[in-house]
Amino acid sequence: MFGPDDLTDDGFLGGRLRVWQPRRGYRAATDPVLLAAAVPARPGQTVLELGCGAGVASLCLASRVPGLHLSGLELQPAYAALARGNAARNGLSLTVVEGDLTEMPKDLRHSFDHVIANPPYYPAGGGTGAADPGRERALREETPLSLWVEAAVRRLAPRGILSLILGADRLPDALSALDARMGSTVVLPLQARPGRGAKRVILQSRKGGRAPFRLLAPFVLHEGAQHEGDRDSFTPAAAHILRDGGALSQGLC
């Protein structure tokens, strides 16, 4: 488990959400906030996050949409404990279950209106490994992406929605993992600045959906062609999400 000296106290949503994160392990940044903003959840619905880490995505979603029934599955006990503590610290309800998505714990073997995930970005065997084992496990794939998608689809209720944030290079793998049970698939490229290629995408798909596939115009995070000075330069739309906790409602499901 993490000790007090192993953690940093980080603010999200303009400081309205305070989260303990490991100083040297996996640390959430903007990706889980954008994922949470994309989820079209309504009060009273059920949400499962696969690989919830310290709980940032689920807690951002809970901050925006009251009355949700949120569950998180986390493989690493130290991160699961952090997620529980972060939920309690912010007065938000999140049930965290420790376990492996390939052997879904019994407590989570029921249907959810939404399943969300920020799967590991890097495939097994490629690139340089992280020195911290928790960060390495969070960022590098041990369980194939296809099994993340399969676990999510199994847990979705009819008409339920899957929401993923992925590296753009993993999009073909994610799309190929969606079978005939899923449809009405939408992809939103996330562009750091105008004119740059998208390095991240948000993918949504509905269980039992029948609408055609849609590729949306990119969502741009920063203004200007390059970083200038000591400021974040977020576009107004990005600032509305990252600072104000707003929804990302750019034609998604």
Side-chain angles (χ1 to χ4, degrees):
M1 295 297 176
F2 297 109
D5 292 340
D6 300 324
L7 300 174
T8 60
D9 181 5
D10 301 312
F12 291 84
L13 308 181
R16 293 195 302 279
L17 185 69
R18 302 299 310 185
V19 173
W20 293 109
Q21 297 198 92
R23 192 180 301 277
R24 297 181 183 84
Y26 171 73
R27 296 175 56 79
T30 59
D31 287 358
V33 186
L34 292 165
L35 174 62
V39 180
R42 301 188 304 274
Q45 289 190 318
T46 54
V47 183
L48 170 63
E49 182 180 3
L50 300 178
C52 68
V56 173
S58 288
L59 297 179
C60 285
L61 180 56
S63 297
R64 178 170 63 83
V65 184
L68 292 174
H69 303 283
L70 287 152
S71 300
L73 175 65
E74 175 52 45
L75 182 63
Q76 302 186 73
Y79 285 83
L82 270 185
R84 295 186 190 104
N86 284 330
R89 179 185 185 189
N90 288 278
L92 298 169
S93 179
L94 172 63
T95 300
V96 181
V97 178
E98 294 175 25
D100 190 326
L101 60 84
T102 63
E103 299 178 7
M104 190 65 63
K106 291 182 179 179
D107 290 349
L108 299 176
R109 291 181 190 174
H110 56 87
S111 296
F112 294 84
D113 298 304
H114 299 270
V115 178
I116 69 175
N118 179 12
Y121 284 122
Y122 306 116
T128 302
D132 178 84
R135 178 177 173 82
E136 173 69 7
R137 173 163 273 184
L139 291 178
R140 193 169 309 281
E141 180 181 278
E142 291 186 5
T143 300
L145 181 58
S146 61
L147 294 185
W148 283 75
V149 173
E150 175 62 23
V153 173
R154 283 180 176 270
R155 300 277 64 83
L156 280 172
R159 306 295 296 171
I161 296 174
L162 168 65
S163 299
L164 302 174
I165 188 165
L166 303 157
D169 60 330
R170 304 308 307 276
L171 179 59
D173 296 328
L175 290 173
S176 67
L178 295 174
D179 58 24
R181 292 170 292 176
M182 304 298 290
S184 305
T185 302
V186 182
V187 172
L188 175 65
L190 300 174
Q191 196 174 42
R193 296 182 184 276
R196 295 191 183 181
K199 293 186 177 180
R200 299 281 189 268
V201 297
I202 290 174
L203 180 151
Q204 283 188 339
S205 190
R206 185 183 292 274
K207 193 168 189 177
R210 294 293 179 263
F213 172 84
R214 290 184 295 142
L215 177 62
L216 303 179
F219 182 83
V220 181
L221 294 170
H222 296 277
E223 297 178 319
Q226 59 187 12
H227 181 70
E228 296 180 1
D230 188 20
R231 60 187 185 91
D232 55 36
S233 70
F234 287 125
T235 63
H240 176 60
I241 292 167
L242 299 171
R243 294 177 181 153
D244 304 332
L248 201 171
S249 54
Q250 192 165 325
L252 293 163
C253 287

